[in-house]
């Protein structure tokens, strides 16, 4: 079967070539972001496969992942370590690939810039570059690389948690604003009832999470740190909930309210739970996996358990936020300035069909780009580092590659990110009051 010239040109053409006839017309910028996100999610899928029990038999054939099939220092063997090492290399390849585009796309102002063609096209060659970097990453020796890359992952994971929170704040505001506007247009009781029910359910889920965390993570009298983490974040969430409904805040931001606060509260409870899942004390952390130890050996006949509940929830939130980064176009001016995107105007004008009735993407960036290319790729770099930490449970590998530990540094990174996130949300509420001479739409 011969490849038609029109199809072949799509291998190095622009985003419109990627739309099939059944797809609706859309913006060139949206298609581009979706394809890059697909690359990221494809790499994530490969990383997930690499830590499935049974796959390590094939990974052990890669000599640089593990130098021996025997137990080292009475700790972990290659059956456990190869999955961890493989995830690090896969995510390193993803981060390196997107960082390359961070550098290449600096200061691209419109699609007239020759570099915009690289951003929006040449997909086949981009895929080859990603595959080449991935193959090369598996030739990196273990040891220093794993330790250094762990700390890169910790910083990137911290920053991506904040990016997730910004997106969740934006989603919460958009959700509330949409339903309030519909309530004003008609069916007022129905839409207000829906807002109240959703808010109640979100707060109920947060309360249930708090109760379970007190039950399972504060069993021992020694677990003072867990009690402090839960109690502090509970108090902070009560504070932001009260502030969100203060009369002055309501006057400055009529669409702010308990729905947004309930979403932020539930996300904060998740981050708190995730942080306590890294506490290295077994009596204070029932979700601590057996692989995170330097005393318990793992026999070659026992499959390593990589997944815990916080990691599964974190993976789901990561996928949603990655897609949201690709599709989002906020009406919030503050969010758009922070995320370096243009405000959504709702303008869907543009070519809808080519001759013959074929749907295609259209160039919406001839005058100016609708998002910062470099910042978008930087977010994908952070997402690559975050998913690396999530899939490996934020466990720190030993310097000799023989064991894994769950360090206190991972706990403090997550807890501090929850505090920074709450402070950021509080600022969105009080900023119009403090900076009264500035306009906050």
């Amino acid at each position: 079967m011969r490849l038609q010239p029109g199809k072949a040109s799509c291998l190095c053409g622009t985003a419109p070539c990627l739309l099939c006839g059944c797809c609706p017309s859309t913006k060139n910028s949206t298609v581009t972001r979706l394809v890059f996100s697909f690359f990221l999610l494809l790499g994530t899928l490969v990383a997930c496969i690499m830590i499935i029990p049974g796959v390590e038999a094939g990974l052990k054939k890669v000599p640089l992942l593990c130098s021996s099939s025997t137990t080292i220092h009475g700790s972990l063997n290659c059956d456990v370590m190869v999955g961890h090492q493989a995830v690090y290399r896969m995510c390193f390849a993803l981060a390196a690939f997107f960082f390359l585009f961070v550098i290449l796309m600096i200061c691209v102002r419109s699609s007239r810039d020759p570099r915009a063609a690289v951003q929006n096209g040449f997909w086949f060659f981009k895929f080859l570059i990603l595959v080449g970097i991935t193959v090369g990453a598996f030739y990196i020796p273990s040891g220093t690389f794993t330790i250094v890359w762990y700390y890169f992952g910790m910083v990137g994971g911290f920053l991506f948690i904040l990016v997730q929170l910004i997106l969740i704040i934006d989603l919460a505001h958009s959700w509330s604003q949409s339903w309030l506007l519909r309530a004003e247009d008609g069916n007022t009781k129905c839409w207000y009832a829906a807002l109240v029910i959703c808010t109640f359910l979100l707060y109920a889920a947060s309360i249930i999470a708090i109760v379970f965390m007190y039950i399972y993570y504060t069993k021992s009298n020694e677990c003072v740190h867990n009690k402090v983490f839960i109690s502090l974040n509970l108090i902070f969430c009560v504070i932001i909930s009260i502030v969100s409904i203060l009369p002055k805040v309501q006057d400055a931001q009529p669409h702010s309210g308990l729905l947004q606060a309930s979403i932020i509260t539930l996300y904060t409870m998740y981050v708190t739970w995730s942080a306590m899942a890294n506490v290295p004390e077994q009596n204070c952390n029932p979700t601590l996996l057996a692989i995170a130890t330097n005393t318990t050996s793992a026999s070659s006949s026992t499959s390593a358990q990589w997944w815990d509940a916080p990691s599964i929830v974190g993976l789901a939130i990561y996928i949603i936020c990655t897609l949201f980064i690709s599709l989002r176009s906020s009406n919030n001016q503050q969010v758009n300035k922070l995320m370096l995107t243009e405000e959504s105007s709702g303008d869907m004008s543009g070519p809808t069909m080519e001759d013959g009735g074929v749907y295609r993407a259209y160039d919406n960036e001839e005058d100016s780009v609708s998002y910062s290319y470099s910042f978008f790729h930087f977010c994908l770099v952070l997402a690559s580092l975050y998913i690396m930490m999530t899939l490996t449970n934020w466990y720190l590998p030993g310097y000799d590659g023989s064991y894994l530990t769950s360090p206190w540094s991972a706990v403090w990174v997550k807890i501090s990110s929850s505090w920074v996130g709450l402070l950021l949300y509080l600022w969105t509420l009080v900023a119009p009051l403090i900076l009264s001479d500035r306009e906050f739409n």
Side-chain angles (χ1 to χ4, degrees):
M1 181 177 178
R2 295 180 60 189
L3 187 64
Q4 297 178 2
K7 298 294 183 183
S9 65
C10 288
L11 297 179
C12 57
T14 56
C17 292
L18 300 175
L19 286 183
C20 62
C22 61
C23 296
S25 293
T26 188
K27 298 174 182 178
N28 199 22
S29 58
T30 301
V31 178
T32 296
R33 285 182 288 178
L34 281 173
V35 177
F36 275 115
S37 296
F38 171 76
F39 281 5
L40 175 63
L41 295 177
L42 181 63
T44 301
L45 177 62
V46 173
C48 291
I49 293 173
M50 287 177 176
I51 56 175
I52 294 177
V55 178
E56 67 270 2
L59 292 176
K60 283 192 294 185
K61 297 178 182 178
V62 182
L64 294 178
L65 291 185
C66 194
S67 59
S68 174
S69 60
T70 59
T71 306
I72 310 172
H73 300 311
S75 293
L76 298 179
N77 57 20
C78 285
D79 291 341
V80 175
M81 292 302 297
V82 288
H84 186 278
Q85 299 282 356
V87 169
Y88 266 50
R89 281 156 178 76
M90 184 68 242
C91 293
F92 170 82
L94 289 171
F97 174 75
F98 292 120
F99 186 74
L100 173 64
F101 283 92
V102 171
I103 302 301
L104 289 177
M105 298 301 154
I106 292 177
C107 295
V108 175
R109 303 300 184 188
S110 71
S111 60
R112 294 189 180 92
D113 192 311
R115 290 174 294 167
V118 178
Q119 167 77 0
N120 298 315
F122 300 95
W123 299 107
F124 178 72
F125 298 106
K126 289 175 185 175
F127 181 75
L128 289 182
I129 291 173
L130 177 58
V131 172
I133 296 175
T134 303
V135 173
F138 278 82
Y139 286 91
I140 300 175
S142 301
T144 305
F145 163 77
T146 309
I147 301 298
V148 172
W149 197 238
Y150 172 84
Y151 289 106
F152 270 98
M154 185 172 289
V155 174
F158 171 82
L159 294 176
F160 191 73
I161 290 174
L162 298 183
V163 171
Q164 286 184 143
L165 188 72
I166 294 170
L167 296 174
I168 289 172
I169 291 173
D170 184 29
L171 176 63
H173 279 291
S174 300
W175 181 6
S176 177
Q177 184 177 0
S178 174
W179 282 17
L180 287 174
L181 290 175
R182 292 184 182 185
E184 293 173 1
D185 292 338
N187 250 341
T188 304
K189 292 183 179 179
C190 180
W191 287 109
Y192 276 117
L195 279 171
V196 171
I197 291 172
C198 289
T199 302
F200 172 78
L201 292 176
L202 290 168
Y203 273 122
S206 300
I207 293 171
I208 292 172
I210 292 169
V211 171
F212 275 100
M213 285 190 290
Y214 270 121
I215 293 174
Y216 292 104
Y217 289 87
T218 61
K219 288 183 178 180
S220 171
N221 292 329
E222 300 175 356
C223 303
V224 178
H225 39 74
N226 284 357
K227 296 174 184 177
V228 171
F229 294 154
I230 300 171
S231 301
L232 278 179
N233 279 355
L234 173 59
I235 294 171
F236 294 154
C237 288
V238 170
I239 291 173
I240 65 167
S241 298
I242 294 174
V243 172
S244 69
I245 56 174
L246 290 177
K248 289 187 178 181
V249 173
Q250 289 287 301
D251 291 339
Q253 300 192 68
H255 293 125
S256 69
L258 289 177
L259 178 63
Q260 297 95 314
S262 65
I263 295 174
I264 302 304
T265 297
L266 185 59
Y267 182 75
T268 301
M269 291 304 110
Y270 158 70
V271 177
T272 307
W273 175 39
S274 178
M276 292 189 300
N278 277 108
V279 172
E281 301 172 9
Q282 187 72 59
N283 58 333
C284 299
N285 180 10
T287 53
L288 186 68
L289 301 182
I291 57 175
T293 177
N294 56 2
T295 57
T296 305
S297 62
S299 65
S300 59
S301 61
T302 303
S303 298
Q305 179 191 354
W306 280 107
W307 296 96
D308 60 0
S311 296
I312 295 173
V313 176
L315 179 61
I317 296 175
Y318 153 82
I319 293 173
I320 294 171
C321 288
T322 300
L323 294 176
F324 194 46
I325 288 173
S326 303
L327 296 172
R328 66 172 296 281
S329 185
S330 177
N331 291 317
N332 190 299
Q333 187 178 11
Q334 298 177 69
V335 172
N336 283 314
K337 286 183 178 179
L338 195 58
M339 297 298 291
L340 301 181
T341 55
E342 287 187 351
E343 186 172 352
S344 174
S345 62
D347 181 19
M348 295 301 295
S349 61
T352 55
M353 288 188 181
E354 289 186 349
D355 294 338
V358 179
Y359 287 97
R360 283 293 181 261
Y362 58 90
D363 187 1
N364 62 314
E365 298 180 311
E366 290 183 355
D367 296 325
S368 64
V369 294
S370 60
Y371 65 100
S372 170
Y373 291 175
S374 285
F375 187 76
F376 170 72
H377 289 294
F378 180 67
C379 287
L380 296 187
V381 171
L382 298 182
S384 303
L385 296 173
Y386 173 82
I387 198 59
M388 178 185 78
M389 303 303 288
T390 300
L391 293 179
T392 58
N393 303 98
W394 295 68
Y395 289 167
L396 174 66
Y399 281 95
D400 58 358
S402 63
Y403 63 89
L404 298 171
T405 58
S406 185
W408 275 104
S409 56
V411 179
W412 284 109
V413 163
K414 292 182 181 181
I415 284 294
S416 59
S417 68
S418 72
W419 294 339
V420 173
L422 287 168
L423 186 61
L424 181 63
Y425 176 65
L426 182 63
W427 173 250
T428 65
L429 296 176
V430 302
L433 302 177
I434 298 175
L435 304 174
S436 56
D437 57 332
R438 295 181 60 183
E439 182 181 355
F440 291 88
N441 294 324

